[in-house]
Amino acid sequence: MKRRYPLLVRKKVERLEYAASNRRRHDNGSSQQSSVAETPPQRLMMAAAELVENGGRLEMASVAARAGVSVGLSYHYFRSKAGLIAAVVEDFYDRYDAEVIDLNPLPGHDWAARERRRVELMVDFYLREPLAPLVLARLSMEPEVAAVDAQRIARHIKLAARNVEGARRKGHLPAGPDASLLVGMIMGGLRQAVGQVLAGHVPRDRDRLVEDLWGFISAAAGLGTQDR
């Protein structure tokens, strides 16, 4: 915990700085303001896009050069290469949560319709996101990244379990295993299945993938094939 806490504190500050710079850019509306809006941590994280270019390999010196900051400043913000990678992965999950987890994809519809739409959003996010194959596989081997990964997965399971419990209370889902156990099994299966597609072991057919994943979810949740 001691290793993670300073990083998480710094990322909180970075988010505040980034939000403030975005507000200034929006308020001023000038190209000059836009060009200086990014803070050094944000420039470093954008420069770390070489993670994708190099298949997950990253060197602090080259990232710092690309971001236009000193190597020392890079270590000041992120402490280590693994710390920078963890920040990039946390940003990945921030975007994933905003686009997939933390929204009602179909307000006013029943559970099955909403969650099938969520599967579509999940598949679209993973298929267009260059970092997805690395986040789902290689990057989690770093302890700092594994900590971020575990924290987000635990959050996703907690939220999904509440979702299932609510659907059961409303009669949208039948009774079944403990909700946390159920969603843990479902999420583990989804992660492995999507990972197979991103690794190239299964064809990248978006519509077929959505149908297959939704069929798995609906069967595991007890909906039956008629709700696919």
Side-chain angles (χ1 to χ4, degrees):
M1 192 65 180
K2 289 182 179 179
R3 294 186 66 188
R4 291 167 51 200
Y5 183 73
L7 173 62
L8 295 178
V9 169
R10 284 197 298 274
K11 278 200 57 61
K12 176 71 172 178
V13 173
E14 291 157 24
R15 289 195 188 100
L16 293 174
E17 291 176 344
Y18 188 55
S21 69
N22 275 343
R23 285 195 298 272
R24 290 194 300 270
R25 179 168 52 189
H26 180 267
D27 292 341
N28 292 346
S30 67
S31 58
Q32 180 179 5
Q33 181 65 28
S34 176
S35 67
V36 298
E38 289 78 15
T39 65
Q42 285 295 326
R43 294 206 305 273
L44 285 163
M45 289 175 63
M46 287 188 290
E50 70 176 56
L51 275 171
V52 179
E53 298 169 12
N54 297 331
R57 296 181 297 275
L58 174 150
E59 295 300 330
M60 291 292 274
S62 57
V63 172
R66 182 176 296 189
V69 303
S70 69
V71 176
L73 190 61
S74 304
Y75 282 103
H76 169 73
Y77 281 113
F78 297 104
R79 182 181 292 182
S80 65
K81 177 172 69 175
L84 175 56
I85 295 173
V88 171
V89 171
E90 191 161 11
D91 178 71
F92 170 91
Y93 275 121
D94 284 346
R95 290 182 282 110
Y96 178 77
D97 286 1
E99 295 183 32
V100 180
I101 299 297
D102 296 334
L103 53 75
N104 181 343
L106 283 176
H109 289 71
D110 65 12
W111 187 88
R114 290 197 309 271
E115 297 314 308
R116 190 189 187 286
R117 176 57 181 155
R118 197 185 309 277
V119 171
E120 293 178 342
L121 295 175
M122 178 192 71
V123 168
D124 290 341
F125 180 89
Y126 280 133
L127 291 184
R128 74 167 182 271
E129 175 56 53
L131 271 177
L134 298 174
V135 172
L136 295 184
R138 294 180 52 186
L139 295 184
S140 61
M141 292 185 291
E142 294 283 356
E144 290 85 348
V145 175
V148 172
D149 204 44
Q151 189 178 56
R152 291 304 179 108
I153 291 173
R155 177 179 185 269
H156 296 165
I157 290 176
K158 183 177 181 179
L159 292 175
R162 290 178 183 172
N163 186 342
V164 167
E165 290 167 352
R168 286 174 173 174
R169 286 193 299 269
K170 295 176 181 178
H172 294 174
L173 289 177
D178 176 85
S180 294
L181 178 62
L182 175 65
V183 299
M185 292 187 291
I186 290 174
M187 287 187 175
L190 294 179
R191 186 180 179 102
Q192 290 299 318
V194 172
Q196 290 296 302
V197 174
L198 297 179
H201 303 313
V202 179
R204 292 172 67 101
D205 184 327
R206 184 264 189 192
D207 293 339
R208 177 63 183 271
L209 181 58
V210 168
E211 290 300 323
D212 288 345
L213 295 181
W214 176 241
F216 167 68
I217 293 170
S218 61
L223 286 174
T225 58
Q226 73 275 13
D227 288 318
R228 291 188 188 182

